[in-house]
Amino acid sequence: MSLPAKQNTIHIEQLRKSYNEHGAGDIHYIIKDVNLVIKGGEFFVLLGPSGCGKSTLLNMIAGFVSKSGGNLKVDDVEVQRPGSDRAVVFQQADSSLFPWLTVRENVEFGLRMKKTPKAERREISDRYIRLVGLSGHEAKFPKELSGGMKQRVQLARVLANDPAILLMDEPFGALDAMTRRTMQKELVNIWRETHKTVIFVTHDIQEALLLGERIGIMSVGPSSNITDIYDNTLPYPRDVAAPEFYSLYNRIQAHFEEE
Ligand SMILES: Nc1ncnc2c1ncn2[C@@H]1O[C@H](COP(=O)(O)OP(=O)(O)O)[C@@H](O)[C@H]1O
Ligand SMILES: [Mg+2]
């Protein structure tokens, strides 16, 4: 008998988060009544202004932040804690890399914890170090790397653990424009190669349009919500100079100006 295949679809229903639900006075919701289904293998972007609750929602999906109400499931399993099916790439690599480990040791860390045999670890780390363009830098320590390189190490490490769901919280926000563009292209290639479910948080409309198949717009908080979802069916790699790109950009821009 075989188990049903995992779809890695995320089901969110009437999801809420408050940090004062047990205190006195009115309940103040950060996010309120979010409804969303993110299909397995989809590249979904969560776009919204700073402070609206994007990280809160992403961290709830990751299992780091508990919900105050509603439902949050991966397939039919309620999210209650972090799991190896989900991994987060944060904005700052500094807080997630181990400074005393080399690039290779950082990338292999999760595999070592899982007791993956050495030869296999090596093969996997080689693959992802190459994929993020860090071949030749395996023996360096984080302090010897630029911000963009550290971010690549973080991405390679997450990918080496092979999570089905990749949660990315403004991962390229701190990078210079050129490195950022390269990383965006690489991420699209990785996603197309691995068929992971990706949820990517950003406040940058252009980045959202370069990456996502669907773009969920979060309203300004408090009690923020996903108010609209834009489909982006433009083929990859996307061209910012294409008229369709520009027109979608303007529609989303107008959306924020109306708020
Ligand atoms: N641990 C916490 N306790 C209380 N309020 C919080 C906590 N974490 C986040 N918030 C509040 O939730 C709101 C949304 O924050 P966040 O999810 O980080 O937004 P974004 O990622 O969109 O910038 C902010 O007003 C923030 O101050
Ligand atoms: Mg945030």
Side-chain angles (χ1 to χ4, degrees):
M1 203 184 80
S2 65
L3 293 166
K6 272 189 70 76
Q7 304 290 318
N8 302 304
T9 292
I10 298 161
H11 301 269
I12 297 173
E13 276 174 17
Q14 298 296 105
L15 191 68
R16 296 178 168 200
K17 181 62 192 176
S18 155
Y19 283 102
N20 71 341
E21 68 227 69
H22 304 300
D26 291 341
I27 299 181
H28 172 94
Y29 287 102
I30 308 291
I31 61 167
K32 194 175 176 192
D33 300 340
V34 171
N35 291 295
L36 183 65
V37 175
I38 298 168
K39 294 187 299 291
E42 181 178 7
F43 200 131
F44 188 89
V45 172
L46 206 50
L47 176 68
S50 177
C52 72
K54 302 181 297 299
S55 295
T56 301
L57 180 55
L58 199 78
N59 286 328
M60 288 169 85
I61 299 169
F64 298 147
V65 168
S66 64
K67 67 186 181 189
S68 307
N71 286 308
L72 169 55
K73 292 179 178 172
V74 176
D75 296 333
D76 49 7
V77 180
E78 192 70 39
V79 171
Q80 283 173 326
R81 59 185 72 83
S84 59
D85 59 335
R86 286 155 284 139
V88 186
V89 180
F90 298 98
Q91 179 166 7
Q92 295 293 346
D94 286 318
S95 48
S96 86
L97 296 180
F98 298 116
W100 61 88
L101 298 181
T102 64
V103 167
R104 182 182 298 283
E105 288 162 347
N106 265 289
V107 173
E108 290 187 1
F109 185 81
L111 299 167
R112 195 180 274 270
M113 292 292 106
K114 279 194 288 192
K115 308 245 188 306
T116 305
K118 189 168 182 201
E120 194 184 337
R121 259 185 359 233
R122 184 71 180 222
E123 199 181 305
I124 295 170
S125 63
D126 270 344
R127 170 163 181 236
Y128 289 107
I129 287 171
R130 198 179 332 113
L131 202 62
V132 300
L134 281 178
S135 299
H137 301 284
E138 293 85 349
K140 290 186 178 162
F141 289 91
K143 67 172 191 300
E144 301 174 88
L145 306 175
S146 70
M149 290 163 89
K150 280 188 266 197
Q151 200 58 319
R152 286 161 193 256
V153 179
Q154 194 192 175
L155 184 58
R157 186 170 72 179
V158 163
L159 292 169
N161 293 330
D162 197 26
I165 301 171
L166 206 51
L167 305 170
M168 307 188 79
D169 195 353
E170 310 207 32
F172 308 146
L175 305 180
D176 65 86
M178 267 166 66
T179 308
R180 186 175 200 185
R181 187 56 66 83
T182 310
M183 293 289 284
Q184 288 163 340
K185 283 193 183 133
E186 279 170 13
L187 176 62
V188 166
N189 292 339
I190 289 164
W191 165 69
R192 294 173 83 189
E193 202 175 293
T194 59
H195 311 289
K196 293 182 187 303
T197 311
V198 180
I199 307 181
F200 188 103
V201 164
T202 184
H203 60 258
D204 183 316
I205 301 175
Q206 178 168 299
E207 180 166 69
L209 285 172
L210 278 169
L211 299 177
E213 294 180 290
R214 286 196 303 154
I215 299 164
I217 311 278
M218 267 184 102
S219 57
V220 182
S223 298
S224 69
N225 205 323
I226 294 173
T227 49
D228 282 279
I229 293 181
Y230 288 84
D231 287 311
N232 185 353
T233 55
L234 291 173
Y236 298 96
R238 290 180 175 154
D239 176 9
V240 294
E244 299 88 347
F245 191 99
Y246 187 66
S247 95
L248 201 48
Y249 185 99
N250 284 335
R251 272 172 65 202
I252 295 178
Q253 171 102 353
H255 182 110
F256 283 116
E257 280 165 6
E258 276 163 26
E259 268 201 358

